[in-house]
Amino acid sequence: MPHADSAMIPAGIDKAAFWAHVHEQLSHLLDGQRNWVTNLANASSLVFNALQAFPPFGTGERMVNWCGFYLNSDLFPAPKLTAAKDATDGQPARLLLGPFCGKPACQLIHVSPGRVRGVCADAYCQKKTVLARDVDAYPGHIACDGETKSEVVCPLLLTVDGEERAIGVLDLDCLALAGFDEQDQAGLEKIARLVVDACDW
């Protein structure tokens, strides 16, 4: 099957079946590849396009307008062919923008003590999914796109030496208030686990 066809959605399925289908399609798409940049790029594209093809979201007023990843800055490789223009040693803890689909987004999110704010930072620091039904009412919300009205953010959790560590987040934005519910949260959490397990970090 062509890779692009993995985002096609069967007609008449409900939300639970939708997320199960996306999970299955993504597992096939990631099979045999361990590079996190490649896998996160395909994951964000598949989820974004599948949601736009799914009637409860679609491309109208309930559209998911952004899907992507923010990763701990320590995971990004150092330059190999050119000299670094600015030193990152000693920088406060932060998440950097990773692969995504949608409009241009915030380049970094601070997650060091005293600087944590917004849905993504909270999901990362608390190591739990945040479902924001009204982002304008969410304390410290960072508005990358003023059209976004609701958001769901899942932490990417990796067990290292027996300790669960947050390494990033998977973020979905929606044009509608209360665009996401607990079914979306559960489906997205499974996607997040699949992506973490499929990559070498």
Side-chain angles (χ1 to χ4, degrees):
M1 174 178 73
H3 287 77
D5 289 351
S6 60
M8 295 175 64
I9 302 302
I13 62 173
D14 62 15
K15 195 177 277 191
F18 166 81
W19 283 113
H21 174 77
V22 171
H23 186 278
E24 180 181 12
Q25 293 298 96
L26 183 58
S27 68
H28 295 309
L29 198 58
L30 303 183
D31 187 41
Q33 176 58 257
R34 300 290 304 176
N35 184 283
W36 69 259
V37 176
T38 302
N39 283 344
L40 270 56
N42 261 338
S44 58
S45 178
L46 173 59
V47 173
F48 183 76
N49 285 285
L51 284 163
Q52 291 200 341
F54 186 46
F57 289 102
T59 56
E61 62 185 17
R62 292 190 57 79
M63 182 179 85
V64 171
N65 57 320
W66 202 88
C67 172
F69 296 88
Y70 282 91
L71 285 303
N72 186 304
S73 59
D74 291 340
L75 294 173
F76 285 77
K80 292 187 175 157
L81 301 178
T82 61
K85 301 252 188 255
D86 59 336
T88 56
D89 290 344
Q91 291 265 11
R94 59 190 183 157
L95 304 178
L96 292 181
L97 179 63
F100 72 93
C101 287
K103 292 180 181 179
C106 303
Q107 294 179 345
L108 64 90
I109 296 171
H110 290 288
V111 291
S112 57
R115 302 186 74 179
V116 175
R117 60 184 279 259
V119 185
C120 287
D122 284 348
Y124 177 86
C125 292
Q126 297 169 15
K127 298 182 188 177
K128 67 179 185 179
T129 301
V130 176
L131 188 61
R133 290 179 165 84
D134 179 355
V135 294
D136 291 328
Y138 191 89
H141 171 62
I142 300 170
C144 292
D145 181 350
E147 294 184 338
T148 294
K149 299 301 178 195
S150 58
E151 186 173 6
V152 58
V153 182
C154 295
L156 303 178
L157 301 174
L158 177 69
T159 301
V160 180
D161 297 327
E163 178 187 354
E164 188 175 64
R165 292 176 48 188
I167 58 173
V169 296
L170 170 54
D171 179 16
L172 262 65
D173 297 353
C174 183
L175 295 179
L177 287 168
F180 303 108
D181 60 21
E182 286 75 10
Q183 276 190 301
D184 300 310
Q185 175 178 335
L188 203 62
E189 287 172 344
K190 290 178 182 175
I191 298 288
R193 284 195 295 273
L194 173 62
V195 168
V196 169
D197 291 343
C199 299
D200 293 327
W201 302 97

